Amino acid sequence: MDRVLLIDDEADVQYSFRRIFDSPEIEVSTANSGEEGISLVPRVKPDLVIMDIRMGGISGLETLRRLRDSYPKLLVIMMTAYGTTQTAIEAMKLGAYDYLLKPFDVPRLKEIVTNALKAARDMKQVVSYQPLLESEDYDVGIVGRAEAMQNVFKLIGQVSSSDATALITGESGTGKELVARAIYHHSRRAEQPFLAINCAAIPEQLLESELFGHERGAFTGANVQRIGKFEQCNHGTIFLDEIGDMPLGPQTKILRVLQNGTFERVGGNQSIKVDVRVIAATNKPLEQAVANKTFREDLFYRLNVVRIELPALRNRPEDIPLLVNYFLKKYAQRQKQRPKSVSPDVLAALEHYHWPGNVRELENVVQRALVVAKGDAILSGDLPPEIIGRKLSSANANRALTSAAAASTEDLPDLARALFHWARRDPKVKIIPAVERELVVEALKETKGNQVQAAKLLGITRATLRKRVEKFGIKQELEVK
Ligand SMILES: Nc1ncnc2c1ncn2[C@@H]1O[C@H](COP(=O)(O)OP(=O)(O)OP(=O)(O)O)[C@@H](O)[C@H]1O
Ligand SMILES: [Mg+2]
């Protein structure tokens, strides 16, 4: 559950906040003044503080200053009425996360709060990268025993103890963000803020101002000054996600920040000095982008000092059982239930799949399977068709089906589900006639065309068998062979 502390001396603001946010996921506490707010923090342990700038007693700005001194990682959103925007901008320089204009636009308020709570979780949940112990809290960890992962862990350890820029590369869903957070949590900046910026999600013309801020009048629509993430995150860690999608303009500024820690706000000429550690990630081949001149070569070399390359999941299938187990435990813990198990054929299917979406895809598959699984175990019918389908269409599909069906009637549901996957993939398939025909053909093959023995094998009368043979036109086929 996320905890929000609202500091505002107006009763109706407190009331509407509770109405908007109080829920099983968010607990809202309130304070009537800056002093009270500060005294409540150790008890409430808020993930986010939302505070009015203008209050009786000490001002919002002074409260912010004191909060930042004692709790540098605490996220604070300031609220301001029209006409006091400049104060809100001062608050941003002091490290406020964002500010809101009164009266609120509720959807915008919700969006800011959601983003802030996500950022707070990123800072709070320690990402462990040591082999996980049974007893450990299964909240966030980087799971993997494959050699390539051992190398990753070694690099995380090394780069955490330095202040070096790190570049994390790997396909989508391989855990780049997780690694960035692990580095942060184990670095000497762990007690300072961590802010993530997705360079691909922000329109080109806004990215530079998001990162470095802008001066009033810097461009059309820049009605007020803006403080960028680098300034806001001073002493902390900035995670530049999808840096391969960053346009050339901001690249130049990033290079300078990395070289000497200075930049100017967009449209400004005052040089600002910051002390920020940069971690970057991308799933794009940067070498290629350098060759295409869409990525600055000097910036690439500057970022590439420590390179952590995450392996694709298909290249470390030995980690799949480990990951499956981890996700089973994680979701069981979240639902406060006993972890479910997976049947051996499910595990085999998961190990054979090629996982284009890597660990994220595996996690989604496990999560979805847990929702549809009826009993204590995940069965093949609980997996999406593309995963089980791949295994069935492979060379050992027949063997898998035969062995599943041979054991006992208990295996029949598995067999049926496997067939349903087939039917889902190919809408032309009519399962019952297809299975019936196949059983008759195989029985006749097994018995070398002896109808008495074939009927016995199938558990039907000879007359029924003959009808089926006629209906499906089987005799002809057998004679041809
Ligand atoms: N080794 C791992 N152990 C446990 N969970 C993992 C591991 N790798 C990835 N995950 C989980 O998979 C999901 C995707 O990971 P993450 O967001 O770090 O990937 P990414 O490489 O940043 O992907 P993208 O390129 O799409 O942004 C997350 O939920 C993460 O917790
Ligand atoms: Mg990512």
Side-chain angles (χ1 to χ4, degrees), residues 141-143 172-178 283 323 326 359-360 363:
I142 308 177
V143 176
S172 176
T174 46
K176 297 184 292 296
E177 185 179 337
L178 215 51
N283 56 22
L323 282 159
Y326 169 73
V359 185
R360 177 182 295 113
E363 179 167 4

Side-chain angles (χ1 to χ4, degrees), residues 202-262:
I202 300 169
E204 181 170 344
Q205 61 281 21
L206 292 184
L207 183 60
E208 201 161 323
S209 135
E210 173 86 14
L211 293 168
F212 303 104
H214 62 238
E215 297 296 345
R216 183 178 176 171
F219 46 84
T220 338
N223 301 329
V224 290
Q225 188 192 39
R226 176 170 182 190
I227 304 304
K229 293 277 190 256
F230 271 90
E231 212 171 326
Q232 223 183 324
C233 196
N234 202 4
H235 307 301
T237 305
I238 280 198
F239 175 43
L240 296 174
D241 204 0
E242 318 287 5
I243 197 167
D245 294 278
M246 183 182 278
L248 285 162
Q251 283 181 32
T252 312
K253 282 193 144 163
I254 295 283
L255 180 66
R256 216 175 110 218
V257 168
L258 291 178
Q259 279 168 343
N260 59 21
T262 59

Side-chain angles (χ1 to χ4, degrees), residues 135-429:
S135 58
E136 219 173 324
D137 185 357
Y138 273 88
D139 220 20
V140 209
I142 308 177
V143 176
R145 251 183 234 151
E147 206 182 315
M149 288 307 288
Q150 299 295 336
N151 277 333
V152 167
F153 298 155
K154 230 182 279 169
L155 283 169
I156 295 176
Q158 285 164 6
V159 73
S160 305
S161 60
S162 83
D163 224 12
T165 306
L167 176 64
I168 308 164
T169 53
E171 287 177 19
S172 176
T174 46
K176 297 184 292 296
E177 185 179 337
L178 215 51
V179 168
R181 285 166 50 198
I183 295 173
Y184 158 69
H185 286 300
H186 296 89
S187 76
R188 67 170 180 81
R189 290 176 189 255
E191 293 313 315
Q192 296 292 332
F194 171 90
L195 289 181
I197 293 120
N198 186 336
C199 303
I202 300 169
E204 181 170 344
Q205 61 281 21
L206 292 184
L207 183 60
E208 201 161 323
S209 135
E210 173 86 14
L211 293 168
F212 303 104
H214 62 238
E215 297 296 345
R216 183 178 176 171
F219 46 84
T220 338
N223 301 329
V224 290
Q225 188 192 39
R226 176 170 182 190
I227 304 304
K229 293 277 190 256
F230 271 90
E231 212 171 326
Q232 223 183 324
C233 196
N234 202 4
H235 307 301
T237 305
I238 280 198
F239 175 43
L240 296 174
D241 204 0
E242 318 287 5
I243 197 167
D245 294 278
M246 183 182 278
L248 285 162
Q251 283 181 32
T252 312
K253 282 193 144 163
I254 295 283
L255 180 66
R256 216 175 110 218
V257 168
L258 291 178
Q259 279 168 343
N260 59 21
T262 59
F263 64 90
E264 285 98 40
R265 297 187 196 115
V266 177
N269 45 25
Q270 179 203 350
S271 182
I272 295 163
K273 193 154 181 68
V274 286
D275 163 34
V276 173
R277 197 237 181 116
V278 172
I279 302 174
T282 180
N283 56 22
K284 297 242 162 81
L286 280 189
E287 286 86 350
Q288 187 69 49
V290 168
N292 297 343
K293 304 233 177 305
T294 54
F295 203 86
R296 289 185 66 126
E297 190 174 10
D298 42 10
L299 177 59
F300 171 68
Y301 286 119
R302 187 73 217 207
L303 291 171
N304 203 33
V305 178
V306 182
R307 168 83 162 260
I308 304 184
E309 173 86 45
L310 288 174
L313 184 56
R314 69 186 151 282
N315 295 332
R316 51 172 185 124
E318 67 266 42
D319 282 346
I320 289 176
L322 226 59
L323 282 159
V324 169
N325 235 337
Y326 169 73
F327 293 132
L328 288 174
K329 284 208 176 116
K330 171 171 155 182
Y331 288 104
Q333 209 170 52
R334 214 174 266 185
Q335 311 286 321
K336 302 202 169 31
Q337 285 168 350
R338 262 184 341 125
K340 294 193 183 195
S341 60
V342 291
S343 68
D345 57 329
V346 164
L347 201 56
L350 295 175
E351 282 173 310
H352 279 90
Y353 185 59
H354 62 297
W355 300 110
N358 294 293
V359 185
R360 177 182 295 113
E361 190 183 5
L362 175 62
E363 179 167 4
N364 288 342
V365 165
V366 172
Q367 201 182 356
R368 245 181 300 148
L370 282 172
V371 174
V372 291
K374 300 237 162 45
D376 282 343
I378 293 177
L379 305 174
S380 53
D382 305 325
L383 298 183
E386 65 270 19
I387 289 169
I388 204 78
R390 193 175 161 86
K391 182 162 181 259
L392 285 177
S393 62
S394 74
N396 49 16
N398 273 337
R399 216 174 336 117
L401 283 179
T402 333
S403 63
S408 74
T409 50
E410 274 171 36
D411 295 319
L412 288 175
D414 269 354
L415 183 57
R417 284 199 193 95
L419 291 164
F420 298 156
H421 283 304
W422 175 42
R424 279 194 201 106
R425 268 183 301 136
D426 185 354
K428 289 194 294 290
V429 168

Side-chain angles (χ1 to χ4, degrees), residues 48-100:
L48 172 65
V49 170
I50 305 176
M51 172 166 57
D52 198 6
I53 288 214
R54 216 180 269 172
M55 291 182 291
I58 59 169
S59 71
L61 223 48
E62 181 53 29
T63 310
L64 173 68
R65 205 172 279 130
R66 294 192 198 171
L67 284 175
R68 298 285 303 172
D69 270 352
S70 314
Y71 315 97
K73 283 166 74 166
L74 184 58
L75 291 181
V76 182
I77 294 175
M78 305 300 287
M79 296 184 290
T80 178
Y82 181 76
T84 53
T85 319
Q86 196 48 46
T87 323
I89 293 164
E90 291 308 312
M92 297 290 287
K93 289 183 197 162
L94 288 175
Y97 177 76
D98 214 332
Y99 68 88
L100 278 162

